[in-house]
Amino acid sequence: MPGDETLRSPDAALIHRTLTEIAPVADRATSYFYALLFVRHPELRALFPAAMDTQRDRLLRAILTAADRMDNPAALAEYLGGLARAHRKYGTLPTHYPAVGEALLGALSRYAVTWDGAAEAAWIRTYTALSQIMIDAAAEDEERAPAWWVAEIVSHDLRRPDIAILTLRPDQAYPFLAGQYTALETPWWPRIWRHYSFASAPRPDGLLTFHIKAVPAGWVSSALVHRARPGDVLRLGPPAGSMTVDHTTHNGLLCLGGGTGIAPIKALVEDVAEHGDRRPMQVFYGARSDRDLYDIDTMLRLQQTFPWLAVRPVGLRRVGQGTEGPLARRGARARPARGTSTTPISRARRG
């Protein structure tokens, strides 16, 4: 949002005032929001995971973020369109929006300092407009894509005790772009979705690959690494993300990724190769130790195959594989090949 209040519409100014006032008590406002929602509409509780510690503030935060962008129609439509597509996998229906709006107004009226008739009217108009944009976007998406895809695990490669490479076979065509990510749901933690990057460009056989690292308290990632096996079935949400290659230019590419953040970069390398590009591409593969370079052999094989690709392991301390470091410093000092410019693609950490 612009910093100058005079650039905001009257409704946007009132919305921003409310957001500023509830910011110090956002946790309490969020808890009250869900309490109102579930008490008044208990049937909606089934749409949310059993444990709400991670989920608790996502819905309200998304509503508030959208409301604070209402004076930027293009950014608002893009944000809400992606939100609507993503929420289809939760089973969100048009009839759910009034209930959410009712709980939202209840939470705001309780915790906003200067809540009055003007603020309430502004929020009603704003929420009505936002929800209609999402309803329309979801209806449009429903005509061309399912709410989710079912996918069977066909291979589970445990690269180290806490990292596995999973290959999935979706039940129908799954269109995506190299560099994007999706949300996965396991049968062991229903209604809990976590984001993971695609580790390959789209393949002729339609298979999808992901690099998963189990993290402390990571229910989904731990299940995918330690419990999942070939034959298990997962659900996938729609693809998202804009970390993709612009094939209309021939600029050199600079990619920085650490740990499983190398997964989307590997997909980008394959994408450049499949388009027959010969642009110089530098990949800095970050690692704290040798064991973090779990996919270095694959990256070095790609380097041997494609003369335009340079792969440079980078570490916080010196490890094997000729590692340089640290990652941020080496990436900042990288120089494109003579006669080219370098477009930074990512400092990838997703996955």
Side-chain angles (χ1 to χ4, degrees):
M1 289 292 295
D4 187 346
E5 294 289 338
T6 63
L7 298 179
R8 295 192 176 100
S9 65
D11 276 1
L14 290 169
I15 296 299
H16 187 77
R17 185 187 73 183
T18 304
L19 296 175
T20 302
E21 291 177 355
I22 69 168
V25 292
D27 288 346
R28 279 182 282 169
T30 300
S31 296
Y32 191 73
F33 164 79
Y34 279 108
L36 287 178
L37 184 64
F38 295 154
V39 168
R40 295 177 179 177
H41 302 277
E43 72 280 4
L44 298 185
R45 184 63 181 87
L47 300 179
F48 296 85
M52 291 286 291
D53 52 343
T54 300
Q55 177 68 32
R56 183 170 298 279
D57 68 335
R58 286 184 176 178
L59 180 57
L60 181 59
R61 186 172 65 228
I63 294 171
L64 300 182
T65 299
D68 205 24
R69 296 181 182 180
M70 58 182 296
D71 277 345
N72 188 339
L76 182 63
E78 180 181 2
Y79 177 74
L80 291 178
L83 207 60
R85 290 187 292 273
H87 276 69
R88 288 186 59 216
K89 66 179 179 289
Y90 296 112
T92 304
L93 299 174
T95 54
H96 297 152
Y97 285 89
V100 172
E102 177 187 345
L104 175 65
L105 291 177
L108 294 176
S109 65
R110 181 179 179 88
Y111 288 97
V113 178
T114 56
W115 187 260
D116 53 21
E120 181 177 14
W123 272 98
I124 291 174
R125 287 190 293 267
T126 298
Y127 181 78
T128 300
L130 300 184
S131 59
Q132 191 59 55
I133 292 173
M134 290 189 64
I135 290 170
D136 292 343
E140 181 181 350
D141 188 62
E142 188 175 4
E143 296 179 358
R144 59 174 180 258
W148 64 78
W149 286 255
V150 174
E152 178 185 357
I153 300 176
V154 296
S155 72
H156 185 284
D157 178 10
L158 194 64
R159 288 295 180 90
R160 55 179 238 191
D162 60 345
I163 292 181
I165 296 181
L166 274 65
T167 301
L168 312 181
R169 178 186 293 112
D171 62 336
Q172 54 186 301
Y174 187 99
F176 72 98
L177 300 175
Q180 290 190 306
Y181 61 90
T182 188
L184 297 180
E185 181 202 47
T186 73
W188 306 287
W189 297 105
R191 301 187 301 281
I192 297 181
W193 297 78
R194 293 293 181 265
H195 291 146
Y196 299 100
S197 293
F198 298 101
S200 66
R203 296 165 45 167
D205 59 12
L207 297 180
L208 310 173
T209 303
F210 300 91
H211 293 192
I212 313 293
K213 180 178 181 180
V215 297
W219 298 349
V220 176
S221 63
S222 294
L224 290 173
V225 172
H226 301 304
R227 188 169 182 175
R229 293 294 182 269
D232 289 336
V233 175
L234 311 177
R235 291 205 298 179
L236 290 82
S242 58
M243 194 187 78
T244 56
V245 174
D246 180 0
H247 293 287
T248 65
T249 73
H250 297 284
N251 291 343
L253 302 175
L254 172 63
C255 300
L256 292 81
T260 52
I262 200 64
I265 292 176
K266 177 175 173 287
L268 294 177
V269 172
E270 294 178 357
D271 185 45
V272 170
E274 289 176 6
H275 279 78
D277 222 334
R278 292 297 181 268
R279 66 176 77 184
M281 187 171 186
Q282 297 186 66
V283 173
F284 288 84
Y285 188 171
R288 297 178 186 275
S289 65
D290 279 333
R291 62 195 302 268
D292 293 319
L293 297 171
Y294 69 94
D295 206 33
I296 187 62
D297 289 343
T298 301
M299 297 305 298
L300 292 178
R301 282 196 298 271
L302 290 172
Q303 178 179 245
Q304 293 173 352
T305 303
F306 306 118
W308 40 264
L309 174 64
V311 178
R312 301 181 181 181
V314 182
L316 294 179
R317 58 185 174 82
R318 187 169 183 82
V319 293
Q321 307 288 352
T323 305
E324 308 170 64
L327 176 60
R329 186 190 310 155
R330 292 297 303 177
R333 292 177 178 174
R335 294 291 183 268
R338 180 174 299 177
T340 68
S341 60
T342 300
T343 300
I345 287 292
S346 80
R347 184 174 179 176
R349 297 187 181 188
R350 183 173 302 279

